[in-house]
Amino acid sequence: MSIVTATKNSIAIGGFDGMHIGHQKLFEALGDDGCIVVIETGYANLTPKKERENFTHLPIIYLDLDDIRHLNGQEFILLLKDKFPKLQKIVVGYDFHFGKNRKYSFNDLKNIFDGEVKIIEEVSMQGDSVHSHKIRAKLGIGDIKGANKFLGHNYTIKGLLEKGQGIGKKELVATINISACGYLTPKEGVYATLTRVDDEEHFHPSVSFVGHRVSTDGSFAIESHILDGEILCKERAAISFVSFIRENKKFDTLLELKKAIDKDINIALAELRLLQL
């Protein structure tokens, strides 16, 4: 038992990939002595691993699904009570299921748990229910603005610096290239973005490319061009997506590609300028 779990009397349970606006409704119901319990399935790719911790002030503990999937309803509650001896309140979503073969719903939870069970109803935006799988679908079609509305924050991927082709700075524009292991990458194309480098606290306006370099060597890349001056990246970067600019496209010459990039930069600058209004 950790110091954190020993003192908390309310918990929210779920997968919480994305930490979207629906998830935040659960967290709001916890109070000051709350804790988030993440059921880790291994499939989280919007906020993989401990990235969820960047979107809440509440402590988070992780339970591996493989370690608990065999438990029946009563055994699951006993596990929670063992971890949280002061547990008085459990908050879950309307579609919450638990126990072996997901047999138990929130109604069973109310019968098994002797404390308060708070059910958060479906959260919708403009008639569309908010779910992590819908955010993934929006990212897959390049609907960044739609995904960000559901998330309540800009979709952001992080990665370690990797070597690029070597032709960007010489013949096109200088870019920061990263490998973003574990993250869902949005649809191939060009985006208006904000990029944070290494340990800097602020984001730089940027234009970023995600996809296969079909005009050069065909390799997959995630690269960002900083728009407010050349920035040295030593180790890692985070790219926050604001809007989709255009599809990935093959150009016959580097000159044509350079002209397209110049146009992308102007569009990105205009789009990002709107954020400051």
Side-chain angles (χ1 to χ4, degrees):
M1 184 191 308
S2 70
I3 295 176
V4 170
T5 60
T7 61
K8 301 302 178 183
N9 60 23
S10 62
I11 60 174
I13 312 173
F16 302 129
D17 186 25
M19 300 293 279
H20 58 60
I21 60 174
H23 298 149
Q24 298 297 330
K25 289 294 183 183
L26 274 71
F27 307 154
E28 290 170 8
L30 286 176
D32 295 333
D33 288 322
C35 182
I36 298 169
V37 177
V38 169
I39 307 300
E40 188 60 86
T41 63
Y43 297 109
N45 57 7
L46 301 175
T47 46
K49 299 181 180 178
K50 294 192 175 183
E51 281 302 310
R52 299 173 180 89
E53 295 170 14
N54 293 310
F55 300 99
T56 181
H57 68 282
L58 297 169
I60 300 178
I61 71 162
Y62 301 85
L63 298 180
D64 194 306
L65 178 61
D66 288 338
D67 293 336
I68 63 173
R69 66 167 70 246
H70 64 285
L71 300 176
N72 63 34
Q74 290 83 0
E75 291 169 336
F76 181 62
I77 297 304
L78 286 175
L79 172 69
L80 294 176
K81 284 187 170 183
D82 182 59
K83 288 184 176 295
F84 298 91
K86 294 186 177 182
L87 186 60
Q88 299 174 9
K89 180 180 180 181
I90 297 177
V91 181
V92 295
Y94 71 99
D95 55 353
F96 177 72
H97 287 80
F98 66 104
K100 188 175 181 180
N101 298 322
R102 292 172 53 84
K103 176 182 177 181
Y104 305 89
S105 71
F106 63 81
N107 285 319
D108 299 296
L109 183 61
K110 287 182 176 180
N111 293 327
I112 298 171
F113 180 57
D114 56 3
E116 178 186 358
V117 176
K118 174 75 173 179
I119 310 300
I120 303 301
E121 295 301 324
E122 183 178 65
V123 175
S124 298
M125 179 170 286
Q126 297 177 330
D128 193 5
S129 58
V130 177
H131 293 282
S132 296
H133 73 269
K134 290 188 176 182
I135 295 171
R136 295 187 188 97
K138 289 177 183 295
L139 293 172
I141 61 174
D143 182 11
I144 294 298
K145 291 185 177 181
N148 288 347
K149 285 180 181 178
F150 273 22
L151 285 167
H153 56 261
N154 290 341
Y155 182 61
T156 302
I157 62 177
K158 299 178 180 180
L160 296 177
L161 180 69
E162 67 175 14
K163 188 175 181 180
Q165 289 177 287
I167 64 173
K169 186 174 182 180
K170 293 178 181 179
E171 302 187 56
L172 299 170
V173 294
T175 60
I176 294 169
N177 296 262
I178 64 170
S179 59
C181 182
Y183 286 91
L184 174 67
T185 51
K187 177 182 178 179
E188 292 200 7
V190 179
Y191 296 85
T193 56
L194 299 167
T195 299
R196 186 175 63 199
V197 175
D198 293 322
D199 294 322
E200 291 186 355
E201 293 185 0
H202 66 284
F203 282 82
H204 298 276
S206 56
V207 58
S208 299
F209 169 76
V210 175
H212 292 83
R213 299 184 179 106
V214 292
S215 298
T216 53
D217 65 357
S219 62
F220 182 82
I222 303 172
E223 49 188 340
S224 183
H225 171 60
I226 305 296
L227 300 177
D228 61 353
E230 188 171 336
I231 304 296
L232 177 64
C233 180
K234 297 180 180 179
E235 183 179 354
R236 60 190 180 277
I239 300 174
S240 179
F241 293 83
V242 175
S243 64
F244 181 77
I245 294 178
R246 66 169 172 85
E247 307 268 350
N248 190 8
K249 181 181 178 182
K250 179 176 174 58
F251 297 92
D252 293 329
T253 67
L254 287 180
L255 179 60
E256 289 181 8
L257 176 56
K258 178 66 166 62
K259 289 180 179 178
I261 291 173
D262 289 341
K263 186 177 180 180
D264 297 336
I265 289 172
N266 289 330
I267 295 173
L269 284 170
E271 186 73 27
L272 296 172
R273 199 172 290 124
L274 293 175
L275 297 178
Q276 302 174 350
L277 297 179

